[in-house]
Amino acid sequence: MAVMQAELSVARCALFMLLLLLPPMGNAVSRFVFTLDEISHPVFNVRTLQFDLVAGPQGKQLEIDIGEVAIKNRIWRHLKLQCQDFQLTRHEIACDAGRLRIAGKILPVTFRYALDPQRLLLTVKPGADESWRLALNWQNSIWQARLQISNGSNSLMAGWLPQDEHWPQLQAGSLNGVIDMAGRESEIATWAANLEVRALAFSDAQGLHAGERVVLRLDARATQKKAAWHWQGTLVWPSGEIFWQPFYFEGAGQQLTVGGMLYNDRLVVEQSALQMNGIGTIHFAGEIDRIGQRLGKISLQAEELELSTLFSSIIQPLTVDTALAETAARGKLDIDWCYQDGDTQSLVLKLQDVALTDTQGRFAVTGVNALIPWHSNQTAQGNIQLASGEILHIPLGEMETIFMTHAHGFSVLNLTVPVLDGGIAVENLEVKKASAGWQWRFNGKLLPVSMEKLTGVLEVTPMFGNLSGIVPQMAYADGVMTMEGVLVFEIFDGVAIARNLTFIEPLGRAPHLLLDVGMHHIDLDLLTRAYSFGNMQGRIDVEINDIELVNWQPVKFDARLVSSPGSYRKRISQAAVQNLTTLGGDSAASVIQRSFLQFFKDFGYKKIGWRCRLHGNICQMGGIEATDPAQHAFNQTEDYVLVQGSGIPAITITGYNRLVDWRELVKRLNHAIESGSPTIH
C-alpha cells in the first residue's frame, strides 16, 4: 500500500496511476491500493480517495471510494465508483461500463483519461434519455471544461437548490444545454452557459409560490480580468405560469438582459433591461454588497409603460383591501427612481393621458396628465391636470394645479375642483408620511351647487335651492378621517350643520361613517316641490344624531323632525297626507276617502313631528309627543300624532305602528314617491 499526504492536480494523479499500474507479467494477479488525501480544482474539490486496482488474467477491475466531493456549495459524501472492465495502457485509462453509487442511487458511468493531450471524458446516465457528459482538457497549467446536459431530471436539479421548507421544491422539469469553463491552474478565467429548462413545476408547503409548465432559456457568460469578473446574460421566459404571492404571471416572451462586474465582493449591475410583454421595458443599474447582503446605489428608469397591464398585474395585488383593488387603469407612465444608502433618494413620475375607473362605480377620472417629482433632500414643484371625473356619480370638471413636494410628503396651497355649477375649494392641503402611515389635512369652501342638478345626476328625488358652505379642518391618519369643528352649509333656504364626523377606511371596501347632522328652518316647499309624494309648505328643524353608516348603509341613528318655531304658512296637500300615512297607519286616508275632505286639495296644520330611532334594522317610531319614547317603557300599541291639524279645513294624521322594519319602510316610501299612489298598511 502506498499513502500520499499531498494535494495533487488531476493530471498528476492520473500520471501517477499510469506509471504505478502497468500490466502484470504472466498469469500472476497483482493488487494495488493507495490513498489520495485531496484533489483540488477550481470547479470541484475531492477529499479522501482510496483506489483499489486488481490486475489479473481476467482483466483489470477498479474500485474507488471517495469520502467527499464538493462542487461549489454542494457536497456529496461516501461515493463509490466500480469498473469491472478497466482498461489501462501507456496512453489511456478507460472504463466503458462503470457504476457510481451516490446518495443511495447507482448510476451507469463511463470515463476515459488520455495523457497526450491530457483529456478526461466522464459520462453519467441516470436514465434512459438522460445524460451528463463532462469533458476536461488541459495542457501544462491551462485547462478547459465542458458539461453537456441532455434531459437532466428535476431530481438532480433540485440538489442544487436550497433545502429549506420555506423554499419552493421542484416537482417536474428537465434541463438541456452546455456549460463551458476555462482557466489557468486553480483559477477560472472564463465561463459560459447556454441552458433551457422545460416543463418546470415547483411549489412550497405554504402554497405561496408555485409554477406550472414553465420554460426558461438562459444565455450567460463571464470573463475575469485582473480582480474583476465582467459578466452578461439573457434570460427569456417563453411560456408557463408562476404564482408568487401576491402576484400571478404568464410567460409570453418576457426577457431580462443584464450585465456588469463582480469585484471585492460587490456585484455591479450595468445597463440592464427587463422587457415585459404588454407593459414595456424597464432599465436599471446598481450595486449589491454580497457579504453584508445590502443594496448599494440603484437606479431605475422606464418610459411609456402601459399602465393598464402594469396596474392589473403588479399594483392591484398590493392593494387588496383598498378601492384600488377594484380599479381599472389605462394610459402611460414614466418612472425615474434612485435608491442609495438604504433609502429612496428620488422618485419622479410622469402620467400621460391616464384614466382610473372604479368597477363599483364609486369614482372615475380621465385625461390625467401629471409631473410628480420627489427628492429626499430638496423641495420640488409638480403639476397635475384633470380633464374630467366623477365621485359617487357626481361629475367633476376640468382642473389644473401646482403643488410642492418635500422630504416627507407634498402640499397644495389652493385647489378648486369644479362640481356641476359650483365646486370645492381646497385650501392648505398638507400630506405627509409618518411612522404610522400617510396623514393629511386641509380646509376649504363648498361653492354654491344647484340642488336640482345634484339630485338629477344622483338620480334621486329632485330638490331645489343651492348647497354651499364652509369646510372646517379635515384630517386623516391611521386610516381614519376626522373633522375638527363643524361643517356649515346652506340647503333648502335653511342651514345644515354636520358635527363629530369620523370616517373609517374611506377608500376601503366597507367604509364606516359616524356623524351628527342638524338642519334648521328648512323650507318644506323647496324640499317637496317636485315630489310626486305631495307638496308641503312650512319650515322644519331636523336633528339626526349617532348616525352610523357601514358601506353607505344605515345601521344606527336617532332622527327627529319637528316644525320650526315662528310664524309662516303651514299647508299640506292631500297627496302628501295620503303618503304620510305610509309612516304610521291608514286612518287619515280612510277619513279623507269617506268624507267631504276629499274635495280639498290641501289642508292646514299646526305642527309636524316624526321620530325614528334605528338600531339594526328596526325603527322605533314616534311623533309629536310630550314624552320622549326613549325615556319611558315602550308601548308598541300606543298611537302617536304625525301632523296636528289647524284651521279650515284641518286634518290630523295619527300613526299606530311603533316598531317598523326599516328596509320595508324605505321600500314603501320609495314606491309612494315614484308612483304617487302609496300602499297603506
Side-chain angles (χ1 to χ4, degrees):
M1 175 183 293
V3 179
M4 298 184 61
Q5 302 294 334
E7 180 180 303
L8 300 177
S9 68
V10 174
R12 291 178 180 178
C13 175
L15 180 59
F16 177 82
M17 291 173 59
L18 182 62
L19 295 176
L20 183 64
L21 304 177
L22 292 175
M25 299 298 294
N27 295 325
V29 176
S30 299
R31 183 173 186 175
F32 300 90
V33 179
F34 64 95
T35 301
L36 294 180
D37 184 55
E38 184 175 5
I39 298 177
S40 293
H41 189 273
V43 180
F44 59 85
N45 192 68
V46 181
R47 296 179 183 275
T48 315
L49 292 88
Q50 179 173 296
F51 295 83
D52 190 347
L53 177 61
V54 177
Q58 304 301 323
K60 303 177 182 66
Q61 299 179 18
L62 175 66
E63 184 174 295
I64 304 176
D65 288 305
I66 307 173
E68 179 181 286
V69 175
I71 302 179
K72 296 302 179 182
N73 296 325
R74 183 63 176 166
I75 298 175
W76 294 267
R77 292 184 174 89
H78 309 300
L79 291 78
K80 182 183 288 291
L81 175 62
Q82 295 175 314
C83 186
Q84 299 299 321
D85 185 14
F86 182 63
Q87 303 169 30
L88 177 63
T89 69
R90 293 183 179 275
H91 302 287
E92 186 178 63
I93 301 172
C95 177
D96 294 328
R99 297 190 306 169
L100 175 64
R101 188 177 69 191
I102 177 174
K105 299 180 180 179
I106 298 179
L107 306 177
V109 173
T110 64
F111 69 85
R112 290 182 177 273
Y113 170 70
L115 269 181
D116 190 17
Q118 297 184 79
R119 178 179 176 84
L120 173 66
L121 295 176
L122 174 65
T123 303
V124 180
K125 293 188 175 182
D129 299 325
E130 179 182 3
S131 67
W132 299 69
R133 178 181 174 87
L134 174 65
L136 182 61
N137 299 274
W138 66 95
Q139 186 172 6
N140 298 326
S141 61
I142 300 175
W143 57 269
Q144 294 178 329
R146 164 169 283 201
L147 176 63
Q148 292 179 296
I149 307 167
S150 178
N151 296 318
S153 65
N154 65 288
S155 59
L156 288 178
M157 288 190 293
W160 296 91
L161 299 177
Q163 302 303 305
D164 189 313
E165 62 178 3
H166 300 294
W167 187 262
Q169 302 300 307
L170 293 181
Q171 278 84 47
S174 63
L175 178 65
N176 290 270
V178 176
I179 300 175
D180 289 307
M181 290 186 180
R184 177 185 294 272
E185 295 180 347
S186 62
E187 298 293 330
I188 301 175
T190 63
W191 65 262
N194 195 319
L195 302 171
E196 181 182 62
V197 178
R198 304 172 185 168
L200 180 67
F202 62 86
S203 65
D204 61 8
Q206 294 77 27
L208 302 178
H209 312 96
E212 289 286 346
R213 302 181 300 277
V214 176
V215 175
L216 296 172
R217 299 191 183 109
L218 173 67
D219 185 2
R221 62 197 69 252
T223 302
Q224 187 175 29
K225 296 180 180 179
K226 296 183 179 180
W229 278 95
H230 297 261
W231 54 274
Q232 60 185 14
T234 300
L235 179 65
V236 181
W237 180 18
S239 60
E241 303 169 90
I242 292 179
F243 172 72
W244 202 272
Q245 174 71 17
F247 306 106
Y248 170 80
F249 300 102
E250 290 188 74
Q254 294 93 327
Q255 179 171 300
L256 172 64
T257 302
V258 62
M261 294 190 301
L262 175 63
Y263 67 97
N264 296 332
D265 294 312
R266 297 192 67 83
L267 178 64
V268 179
V269 179
E270 302 173 328
Q271 299 180 351
S272 302
L274 174 61
Q275 299 176 18
M276 298 181 289
N277 283 22
I279 296 179
T281 301
I282 298 176
H283 300 273
F284 61 95
E287 296 183 8
I288 300 174
D289 182 350
R290 297 175 62 214
I291 295 179
Q293 296 183 343
R294 293 175 301 184
L295 297 176
K297 183 178 180 180
I298 296 177
S299 63
L300 182 150
Q301 296 86 30
E303 294 183 357
E304 296 192 347
L305 297 179
E306 182 53 55
L307 191 57
S308 59
T309 313
L310 177 67
F311 200 85
S312 60
S313 60
I314 297 178
I315 298 177
Q316 279 187 323
L318 299 173
T319 58
V320 174
D321 295 324
T322 70
L324 292 178
E326 298 175 327
T327 301
R330 69 173 187 272
K332 302 293 184 180
L333 172 66
D334 294 355
I335 301 176
D336 191 338
W337 176 60
C338 182
Y339 176 95
Q340 189 174 3
D341 300 328
D343 208 351
T344 296
Q345 301 300 307
S346 66
L347 175 63
V348 180
L349 302 177
K350 184 178 180 181
L351 305 178
Q352 304 174 50
D353 197 23
V354 169
L356 300 174
T357 305
D358 177 40
T359 57
Q360 301 299 316
R362 291 169 291 187
F363 65 86
V365 292
T366 59
V368 178
N369 292 277
L371 174 64
I372 307 173
W374 180 87
H375 302 275
S376 63
N377 57 1
Q378 66 184 52
T379 60
Q381 179 175 295
N383 64 80
I384 183 169
Q385 299 174 343
L386 171 69
S388 63
E390 63 177 45
I391 296 179
L392 299 177
H393 303 292
I394 301 174
L396 308 177
E398 182 179 359
M399 55 153 284
E400 180 176 0
T401 190
I402 295 174
F403 58 90
M404 301 299 295
T405 64
H406 50 81
H408 302 291
F410 66 91
S411 59
V412 180
L413 186 60
N414 291 291
L415 167 65
T416 299
V417 181
V419 178
L420 296 173
D421 56 344
I424 299 175
V426 177
E427 300 174 352
N428 305 313
L429 173 62
E430 183 72 30
V431 181
K432 65 178 181 178
K433 179 71 179 299
S435 58
W438 285 100
Q439 300 178 356
W440 50 258
R441 62 176 58 244
F442 72 92
N443 61 280
K445 299 177 182 178
L446 179 60
L447 306 179
V449 175
S450 167
M451 289 298 298
E452 185 175 8
K453 292 183 178 181
L454 180 61
T455 54
V457 298
L458 293 177
E459 298 182 351
V460 298
T461 304
M463 300 182 185
F464 297 89
N466 291 320
L467 178 65
S468 63
I470 303 297
V471 181
Q473 188 77 241
M474 305 291 292
Y476 175 88
D478 299 330
V480 179
M481 183 171 70
T482 56
M483 183 171 65
E484 301 173 7
V486 296
L487 172 62
V488 181
F489 53 93
E490 298 177 2
I491 182 172
F492 304 125
D493 198 32
V495 176
I497 300 174
R499 314 177 294 272
N500 304 321
L501 184 147
T502 300
F503 203 176
I504 304 171
E505 297 295 341
L507 294 180
R509 291 191 172 185
H512 194 171
L513 177 63
L514 306 171
L515 80 157
D516 300 325
V517 175
M519 293 182 284
H520 306 285
H521 216 60
I522 300 300
D523 189 333
L524 280 174
D525 184 37
L526 290 176
L527 185 64
T528 63
R529 181 182 298 172
Y531 286 29
S532 57
F533 182 84
N535 178 256
M536 300 177 68
Q537 297 180 27
R539 297 277 180 169
I540 59 171
D541 295 337
V542 180
E543 284 289 339
I544 311 176
N545 296 319
D546 299 326
I547 300 173
E548 183 174 356
L549 305 181
V550 176
N551 200 20
W552 305 109
Q553 297 299 315
V555 296
K556 179 184 176 184
F557 63 73
D558 185 356
R560 173 172 287 180
L561 179 153
V562 297
S563 296
S564 301
S567 177
Y568 47 83
R569 179 177 174 79
K570 300 175 182 177
R571 304 294 291 182
I572 180 171
S573 71
Q574 187 174 142
V577 170
Q578 298 216 24
N579 286 318
L580 277 174
T581 62
T582 305
L583 296 175
D586 64 355
S587 60
S590 299
V591 169
I592 292 174
Q593 294 166 4
R594 294 194 304 265
S595 70
F596 74 95
L597 295 175
Q598 61 183 305
F599 299 106
F600 291 90
K601 293 183 179 181
D602 57 33
F603 306 92
Y605 69 90
K606 181 179 181 180
K607 195 173 184 179
I608 294 175
W610 176 68
R611 175 77 176 270
C612 173
R613 298 181 70 246
L614 179 69
H615 188 75
N617 193 45
I618 300 300
C619 178
Q620 179 180 323
M621 303 279 283
I624 305 170
E625 301 174 88
T627 305
D628 189 333
Q631 303 298 322
H632 66 83
F634 187 71
N635 186 348
Q636 297 187 30
T637 62
E638 182 182 354
D639 58 3
Y640 52 92
V641 176
L642 292 171
V643 179
Q644 181 180 353
S646 176
I648 300 175
I651 190 169
T652 296
I653 301 176
T654 303
Y656 298 96
N657 300 325
R658 285 283 187 173
L659 297 181
V660 179
D661 182 282
W662 171 255
R663 286 174 293 191
E664 181 64 23
L665 178 61
V666 172
K667 180 179 177 181
R668 293 175 189 174
L669 288 172
N670 286 336
H671 177 76
I673 292 171
E674 293 172 1
S675 67
S677 177
T679 301
I680 307 301
H681 295 276

